[in-house]
Amino acid sequence: MLRIAKILEKTIVGFIRKFKTTPYGSDAVYLQQFHGGGDDYNPPEGVKALYDSLGNNPRDGIIFLFQDNTERKSAPGEKRLYSVSADGSSVTAEIHLKNNGDIVIIPSGKILTSGVWEHTGDLNVSGTITGGVVVAQNGSSGTFSNSVVAQDGIVTGGS
């Protein structure tokens, strides 16, 4: 039978995250986190969670679903991933897959990537793009409309 508990403390030992919880109307229980492959979710203390035990053995308690106090924004057919501050009081980053095909990424900090970033289609930027080396495809040369000068596909001057 699934039960609801409130998370009090967390510990991580190797790849296992354990929670000290208080099931409603009960003493503290220690539970091991289970989740979908590829997930690593560390909920803030104080959130509600569903838990149960394997084989009706209370010593084999597992915790696997969490409910935080974040506003629900997804419309039918949408998926939204988000992280919250350590105390759970605010959303700090989100990726929202909209039902119209848009993907909305909202960080409160930076978007950090590594590797090669490939894009096909238009790129509309409101702001600036900076880089150590900017290369124009097809060996472009000349002065562009915003006074950037390129030689053999490499920006060599301008502003």
Side-chain angles (χ1 to χ4, degrees), residues 124-130 146:
N124 299 318
V125 177
S126 297
T128 60
I129 297 177
T130 59
N146 61 353

Side-chain angles (χ1 to χ4, degrees), residues 1-3 31-32 50-58 60-64:
M1 171 193 301
L2 295 176
R3 289 166 278 199
L31 306 169
Q32 180 176 326
L50 286 182
Y51 79 98
D52 204 347
S53 56
L54 300 174
N56 291 326
N57 183 350
D60 290 332
I62 58 171
I63 190 167
F64 50 91

Side-chain angles (χ1 to χ4, degrees), residues 13-109:
V13 178
F15 62 90
I16 297 173
R17 185 175 284 125
K18 291 192 175 195
F19 297 89
K20 178 180 179 183
T21 66
T22 52
Y24 293 100
S26 178
D27 293 332
V29 175
Y30 291 87
L31 306 169
Q32 180 176 326
Q33 183 180 26
F34 276 71
H35 46 75
D39 288 344
D40 182 12
Y41 178 61
N42 190 348
E45 292 176 4
V47 302
K48 291 180 185 177
L50 286 182
Y51 79 98
D52 204 347
S53 56
L54 300 174
N56 291 326
N57 183 350
R59 294 183 61 191
D60 290 332
I62 58 171
I63 190 167
F64 50 91
L65 295 172
F66 305 92
Q67 181 185 46
D68 58 24
N69 295 321
T70 302
E71 176 187 4
R72 307 300 175 214
K73 295 180 181 180
S74 295
E78 295 184 348
K79 175 83 171 180
R80 179 173 165 244
L81 307 171
Y82 59 87
S83 61
V84 296
S85 58
D87 65 2
S89 65
S90 62
V91 172
T92 56
E94 73 179 80
I95 299 173
H96 196 153
L97 308 175
K98 306 286 279 182
N99 60 14
N100 65 0
D102 288 349
I103 299 173
V104 179
I105 301 172
I106 304 172
S108 61

